[in-house]
Amino acid sequence: PDSPVAADVQKSLGDLYRQWAEWDDNSASPAQDSARYDRARDAYEAFLQSYPGHEDYPTALLELGTLQLDAYHALGEAAGTLEQVVTNHSETTAADRAQYHLGRIALIEGRLTRARLLFSRLATSAQGSDLADRARFELALLHFYKGEFEAAMARARATSKNPASDVANDAIELKTLIQENQGPDSLN
């Protein structure tokens, strides 16, 4: 435990258990996956408790928050953990990713104004990154569902300009859906 690499190993252990739980080998039962997620959570919590000054602290906190959100669907816990990242480590890339997940939580909870605010801030602050493209796409979807098709089209165009982006194909699909369904007989 006194080794200089102990902190890195503890965080890596959490990453490993999480990857193992997410790996789809069709042989693991849901109970095995759940146990692996539990081990990942325990490893992250041990890291956070033992190494609060470590440079990977914000990343581990982010990983714990996304685990709470995606694996356990504990929205309140996840929001609290992710807020810690945004508040206490605002100058890190982990804070931008945490803000994106906070936007996802706001969407799940039906707080669309809050989601729009978080995604707008992220699209502005993380310009040129894949995360900004994802935030712009989420904004396009928010406009689309409100029936604001021109605004949705503009956001989708901005997102699809970067073909290397993970959401570029989704943005192109949204643009195509809007274009194909607008016309003189559609009331736009």
Side-chain angles (χ1 to χ4, degrees), residues 146-170:
K146 285 185 75 177
E148 300 166 347
F149 300 119
E150 291 303 318
M153 181 68 91
R155 292 281 183 178
R157 276 191 196 112
T159 304
S160 66
K161 284 183 181 177
N162 180 6
S165 168
D166 286 344
V167 296
N169 288 338
D170 295 331

Side-chain angles (χ1 to χ4, degrees), residues 13-26:
L13 188 62
D15 295 340
L16 178 66
Y17 278 124
R18 183 177 187 151
Q19 290 172 6
W20 193 16
E22 291 171 349
W23 181 52
D24 186 18
D25 66 350
N26 296 325

Side-chain angles (χ1 to χ4, degrees), residues 4-185:
V5 297
D8 295 332
V9 170
Q10 183 65 46
K11 183 186 174 302
S12 296
L13 188 62
D15 295 340
L16 178 66
Y17 278 124
R18 183 177 187 151
Q19 290 172 6
W20 193 16
E22 291 171 349
W23 181 52
D24 186 18
D25 66 350
N26 296 325
S27 67
S29 69
Q32 288 172 317
D33 285 344
S34 179
R36 292 171 187 161
Y37 280 125
D38 291 345
R39 288 180 179 167
R41 181 192 59 213
D42 294 345
Y44 287 132
E45 288 174 346
F47 172 84
L48 294 168
Q49 186 175 24
S50 300
Y51 308 102
H54 194 274
E55 65 182 8
D56 285 335
Y57 189 89
T59 306
L61 200 56
L62 171 70
E63 293 298 331
L64 179 62
T66 57
L67 192 66
Q68 292 164 334
L69 174 60
D70 296 330
Y72 295 105
H73 307 290
L75 300 181
E77 283 181 56
T81 303
L82 295 168
E83 284 287 350
Q84 272 186 288
V85 178
V86 171
T87 303
N88 299 336
H89 308 281
S90 60
E91 298 302 318
T92 64
T93 57
D96 288 340
R97 292 177 50 209
Q99 188 170 336
Y100 176 78
H101 293 299
L102 286 169
R104 289 179 51 214
I105 291 171
L107 282 176
I108 292 168
E109 293 175 339
R111 297 181 301 137
L112 302 184
T113 304
R114 172 84 174 140
R116 183 178 302 228
L117 175 69
L118 290 168
F119 290 135
S120 294
R121 284 182 187 163
L122 186 57
T124 302
S125 68
Q127 286 183 354
S129 71
D130 185 55
L131 202 53
D133 287 335
R134 281 194 255 163
R136 275 192 289 279
F137 181 68
E138 292 293 342
L139 288 168
L141 288 176
L142 284 168
H143 287 296
F144 178 77
Y145 294 136
K146 285 185 75 177
E148 300 166 347
F149 300 119
E150 291 303 318
M153 181 68 91
R155 292 281 183 178
R157 276 191 196 112
T159 304
S160 66
K161 284 183 181 177
N162 180 6
S165 168
D166 286 344
V167 296
N169 288 338
D170 295 331
I172 291 168
E173 186 178 343
L174 179 62
K175 280 184 354 188
T176 304
L177 175 71
I178 294 170
Q179 287 171 340
E180 287 179 350
N181 289 291
Q182 283 184 327
D185 61 338

